[in-house]
Amino acid sequence: MSADTYRQPTILLVHGAWHGAWCWGKLIPELESRGWDVATVDLPSASAEAEHPAGMHDDAKVIREKLAAIDGPVAVVAHSYGGIPATEAAAKANNVSRLIYLAAFQLEEGDSLASQSGGALPSGETGTLPPNPEHREYFYNGVTDEDAAWAAEQLVPQSIKSFSEPLTATAWKNVESRYIVCELDNALPLQFQQGLAARSGKSYQLPAGHSAFLSLPAELAETIAVALLD
């Protein structure tokens, strides 16, 4: 594609389990200041309303609807669990130009979060799981005390169904993908991330814990920009 016909993609940010679009509050202005248009979604599987918990495929539907509403190419940046519904959704969209996995589950067809957890996560169609009480250690190491306390107050239960539903499509096999490894992550160990990153065309390293969007937003924005153009 020539420079004359290139159209810069909108960046769609997809959050992980227990979180919401609020988690991108520090990253969005960093991306926008570098000239990127940014969109977000709130995944229904993360909700304080537990009566009718949504699953991974419900999350993928929300992502697909957002993709369809964006005019032009889209680069999807997915964090942690968000990599699973993003992988499912992007396989059935025609405007995704790149997938960027941020310490995220870049899984094969037939895999689910529960199948990758070695029995550490429950499986089933009903119920929710509250946030890990050790969230400071697992989610927010490297984040300031103030930001970690604020983020912890926003966390909501995550549906067990979202952990159980397997992928039926793998967009990264047809869409250019990149992986950002968070080297100090206590939630997704470094070796596990590196194994997943081998499925992407290229990978990049950040000296950050699981929530680089809170601890190193400027550095993360720069890394995303490189991953989009590299």
Side-chain angles (χ1 to χ4, degrees):
M1 182 180 291
S2 71
D4 292 336
T5 59
Y6 173 74
R7 185 172 179 184
Q8 181 168 290
T10 297
I11 297 173
L12 176 61
L13 301 173
V14 180
H15 65 81
W18 297 287
H19 287 67
W22 55 264
C23 73
W24 305 111
K26 288 182 174 290
L27 179 63
I28 290 172
E30 294 287 350
L31 291 169
E32 290 178 338
S33 72
R34 290 163 173 77
W36 299 96
D37 291 328
V38 181
T40 63
V41 290
D42 279 304
L43 301 181
S45 64
S47 174
E49 302 295 330
E51 289 80 7
H52 303 286
M56 185 277 290
H57 291 292
D58 297 304
D59 291 339
K61 180 175 182 289
V62 167
I63 297 169
R64 281 197 303 273
E65 289 171 348
K66 189 69 174 185
L67 289 169
I70 297 173
D71 181 28
V74 183
V76 179
V77 177
H79 179 240
S80 195
Y81 158 79
I84 303 174
T87 296
E88 181 81 20
K92 300 170 184 176
N94 59 13
N95 62 336
V96 177
S97 60
R98 186 149 296 188
L99 284 166
I100 299 177
Y101 294 87
L102 171 62
F105 289 89
Q106 185 174 356
L107 302 185
E108 290 277 4
E109 186 174 332
D111 287 342
S112 67
L113 193 60
S115 74
Q116 297 294 298
S117 72
L121 289 173
S123 61
E125 290 293 309
T126 60
T128 59
L129 191 68
N132 190 324
E134 302 297 327
H135 46 70
R136 184 70 173 97
E137 176 183 356
Y138 287 99
F139 293 162
Y140 305 129
N141 63 307
V143 177
T144 66
D145 289 341
E146 180 181 3
D147 286 341
W150 172 81
E153 291 178 353
Q154 317 305 315
L155 297 175
V156 294
Q158 181 73 22
S159 79
I160 290 172
K161 184 178 181 181
S162 66
F163 301 146
S164 302
E165 291 184 330
L167 280 171
T168 66
T170 46
W172 53 268
K173 293 185 177 180
N174 299 303
V175 177
E176 278 287 321
S177 65
R178 302 290 184 263
Y179 201 103
I180 300 175
V181 175
C182 292
E183 298 173 310
L184 306 179
D185 196 331
N186 291 330
L188 271 67
L190 178 59
Q191 187 174 4
F192 182 69
Q193 288 185 67
Q194 289 172 333
L196 296 176
R199 296 170 173 173
S200 282
K202 293 184 179 181
S203 63
Y204 314 86
Q205 287 70 44
L206 271 181
H210 194 57
S211 299
F213 41 82
L214 293 177
S215 61
L216 295 176
E219 293 86 345
L220 176 56
E222 287 292 336
T223 304
I224 289 172
V226 170
L228 287 171
L229 301 172
D230 191 4

